[in-house]
Amino acid sequence: MEVLRPFRDEIKAKSLIDNIKALTTKPVNIMEVCGGQTHTILKYGIEDLLPENIKLLHGPGCPVCVTSLEAIDMAINISLNKDVIFCTYGDMLRVPGSSMDLFKAKALGANLKIVYSPLDALKVALANPCKNIVFFAIGFETTAPANAMLILQAKKLNLKNFFVLCHEVLVPPIIASLLESKESNVQAFLGPGHVCSVMGLHEYEHLVHNYQLPIVVTGFEPLDILEGIYACVQQLNNNGVRLENQYTRAVTQDGNIPAQQAIKDVFEVCDRKWRGLGFIPKSGLSLNSQFKDFDATIKFKVDNLDIQESKECISGEILRGLKKPYECEFFGTKCTPLNPLGATMVSSEGACSAYYKYRQSKLTASP
Amino acid sequence: MCLAIPGIIEEIYMQDDITMAKVNFQGIKRSVCLAYLTDINIGDYVLVHVGFALKKLSHIDFINANKLINVDSELN
Ligand code: SF4
């Protein structure tokens, strides 16, 4: 029970683990979608508590990790304009572009401002009318309502010095794309809890229907993860597939309707390139025609980059569930959080970074 | 970046026509936009992502969620 001490309810955790063990008779691969879930799994050593024939695969749900190399290069390019203040989440600073990261751009003179919320970027724009302010709008559906409100407010305030570099991505198309790939080895998904707080469950019901595999929308605490895994294993054992909502305290059937409306008002669905995964049709959001004046790619003419990703980094295979971080020959040697070769080593929610932080000592200790 | 964290609403105010709140996250106070929630009052518990409240939480869910979250690393 020692290892279960950090769990909120040790007895419940033990009983869930026993139930999972009793039901798992054949090998099963379960993919968690969110980087936050990956972080919990590694932090609490959840895979070690499960039967050996359950393999947890770490999917493409960390927005920092999947932001394309082209978007990072565009960000660096824009930030190096003398009249620009470039606003970004701190996580993006160390993400490697093709020749440098934003941190290096700062050393070269870029004026970077770290923000906690998109609305902070608006304050920067109001306080600096003689500068062009650019916000790096990355994220999944959880973040899209915040970015939408930022743009609605910028329009309402008639800001002429404010722009966004938009790299919004969507979860359902990437799940569909993973499942349509011939190499797919996923038998069940832990669905993205906070994305579903915004979007509700309908899109995930369609995925279950179309691909006939269990999806359990799951929270971020260790007990949530165990409950999600148990629900997946139960469904696989009963040969029945359905959408389940484990994270009822934060997710309702319809989600947050005003937030969904704001997303519809500001964005349109577009094709998007994902780091490590390539172009996925209809997997992103870009500004719709009413808000193109705020599009930083138009203002700074940085669109249409096409950059080859490094062959060294295998994060694409990790995000597709085909490999684990420790199978990368550079893991923990040439690639560390201080000197990352790929984006999955940068964000605390990236799989490589989580393995480095929580598993490095175990991995180096084992033969 | 995909995480949302729980906090308590301490003050509600208007800013540029949108409803905002001062929210207390384990002692760290931040401005949070309430535009996507209705019927929110001081003392309510909310789940917040990048400065936006996405869902109201019950007292028990707040207490449980609060136990394990490292607010400091999420906010800073
Ligand atoms: S360890 Fe580094 S190089 Fe290897 S896959 Fe992860 S990010 Fe890429």
Side-chain angles (χ1 to χ4, degrees):
Chain A
M1 290 287 270
E2 181 70 18
V3 284
L4 299 181
R5 200 144 292 154
F7 285 57
R8 183 158 47 75
D9 181 339
E10 288 171 60
I11 294 168
K12 193 167 176 193
K14 166 106 179 47
S15 141
L16 280 164
I17 292 164
D18 289 345
N19 288 339
I20 291 168
K21 282 184 179 156
L23 279 185
T24 312
T25 48
K26 47 186 185 221
V28 48
N29 293 336
I30 301 173
M31 178 178 273
E32 82 277 1
V33 174
C34 270
Q37 294 164 334
T38 304
H39 185 94
T40 303
I41 287 166
L42 271 299
K43 180 172 178 185
Y44 291 90
I46 287 179
E47 206 168 19
D48 296 340
L49 304 172
L50 300 174
E52 270 186 9
N53 48 7
I54 294 188
K55 198 167 172 192
L56 299 181
L57 309 174
H58 316 301
C62 159
V64 176
C65 305
V66 299
T67 299
S68 71
L69 203 51
E70 285 83 352
I72 304 294
D73 278 10
M74 283 183 216
I76 291 165
N77 205 323
I78 293 170
S79 73
L80 288 169
N81 278 281
K82 285 210 162 29
D83 64 341
V84 163
I85 301 176
F86 193 85
C87 299
T88 176
Y89 299 117
D91 278 11
M92 299 307 289
L93 289 191
R94 285 269 180 209
V95 179
S98 60
S99 62
M100 66 172 103
D101 57 22
L102 278 164
F103 209 68
K104 177 87 188 291
K106 186 173 162 60
L108 293 177
N111 190 349
L112 299 187
K113 179 111 182 105
I114 308 300
V115 294
Y116 147 75
S117 165
L119 291 183
D120 295 341
L122 216 51
K123 286 187 204 146
V124 178
L126 288 167
N128 296 278
C130 299
K131 293 273 187 187
N132 285 318
I133 312 307
V134 181
F135 176 65
F136 201 177
I138 67 150
F140 282 92
E141 293 93 325
T142 329
T143 318
N147 292 337
M149 181 59 71
L150 167 72
I151 293 153
L152 288 167
Q153 285 298 100
K155 184 149 184 135
K156 193 153 84 185
L157 297 169
N158 199 21
L159 290 182
K160 300 290 182 213
N161 67 329
F162 184 77
F163 306 91
V164 289
L165 177 59
C166 186
H167 200 281
E168 283 281 350
V169 281
L170 300 170
V171 173
I174 192 68
I175 292 185
S177 152
L178 290 176
L179 289 172
E180 272 168 27
S181 146
K182 283 194 191 70
E183 55 195 12
S184 168
N185 56 356
V186 182
Q187 274 106 41
F189 279 97
L190 303 184
H194 291 143
V195 165
C196 292
S197 293
V198 172
M199 301 307 289
L201 299 174
H202 299 285
E203 294 171 296
Y204 297 84
E205 281 164 351
H206 289 301
L207 286 169
V208 169
H209 177 78
N210 290 345
Y211 296 97
Q212 288 297 303
L213 87 176
I215 299 181
V216 180
V217 173
T218 301
F220 298 82
E221 288 184 28
L223 274 184
D224 292 332
I225 303 281
L226 287 178
E227 283 183 358
I229 292 167
Y230 180 46
C232 288
V233 172
Q234 272 184 313
Q235 284 197 42
L236 291 168
N237 224 38
N238 296 335
N239 289 324
V241 294
R242 63 184 192 283
L243 181 78
E244 274 184 67
N245 180 11
Q246 179 280 330
Y247 198 32
T248 50
R249 61 186 187 273
V251 177
T252 59
Q253 177 70 27
D254 293 329
N256 186 323
I257 300 213
Q260 291 168 30
Q261 188 57 50
I263 296 174
K264 280 191 203 129
D265 290 343
V266 172
F267 297 112
E268 62 191 9
V269 173
C270 64
D271 299 342
R272 176 124 288 153
K273 190 169 181 187
W274 296 52
R275 192 165 189 148
L277 302 170
F279 267 105
I280 316 278
K282 297 189 168 80
S283 68
L285 295 173
S286 59
L287 297 171
N288 70 29
S289 57
Q290 289 180 59
F291 297 94
K292 288 287 182 209
D293 287 350
F294 296 103
D295 189 335
T297 62
I298 297 173
K299 165 77 180 170
F300 296 94
K301 302 186 180 65
V302 288
D303 216 348
N304 292 327
L305 296 177
D306 186 16
I307 301 159
Q308 286 303 311
E309 289 183 19
S310 140
K311 299 236 175 348
E312 292 182 326
C313 174
I314 60 158
S315 61
E317 287 166 83
I318 294 169
L319 297 173
R320 286 197 293 271
L322 305 175
K323 290 215 165 130
K324 293 273 196 172
Y326 50 77
E327 292 175 74
C328 170
E329 63 174 302
F330 304 112
F331 175 80
T333 53
K334 207 170 148 188
C335 182
T336 64
L338 274 182
N339 185 23
L341 289 181
T344 42
M345 187 55 100
V346 177
S347 162
S348 61
E349 288 154 19
C352 297
S353 153
Y355 271 78
Y356 188 87
K357 185 165 181 192
Y358 298 114
R359 298 295 301 268
Q360 173 73 346
S361 52
K362 276 193 192 169
L363 291 168
T364 44
S366 56
Chain B
M1 256 223 66
C2 56
L3 277 187
I5 56 172
I8 310 172
I9 297 193
E10 291 196 338
E11 186 191 327
I12 296 178
Y13 58 96
M14 296 299 289
Q15 186 182 304
D16 300 323
D17 289 339
I18 43 176
T19 313
M20 300 288 294
K22 275 270 172 289
V23 174
N24 187 331
F25 302 95
Q26 294 178 5
I28 301 175
K29 296 186 188 184
R30 285 284 160 90
S31 298
V32 166
C33 179
L34 295 183
Y36 295 130
L37 295 181
T38 50
D39 197 20
I40 292 286
N41 297 299
I42 291 170
D44 281 347
Y45 306 102
V46 282
L47 199 56
V48 176
H49 175 70
V50 295
F52 282 72
L54 296 178
K55 176 89 172 56
K56 192 167 157 176
L57 291 175
S58 70
H59 177 68
I60 183 72
D61 287 340
F62 170 79
I63 299 291
N64 286 334
N66 216 17
K67 273 186 198 160
L68 290 178
I69 201 99
N70 182 348
V71 162
D72 200 44
S73 74
E74 291 309 322
L75 287 178
N76 297 310

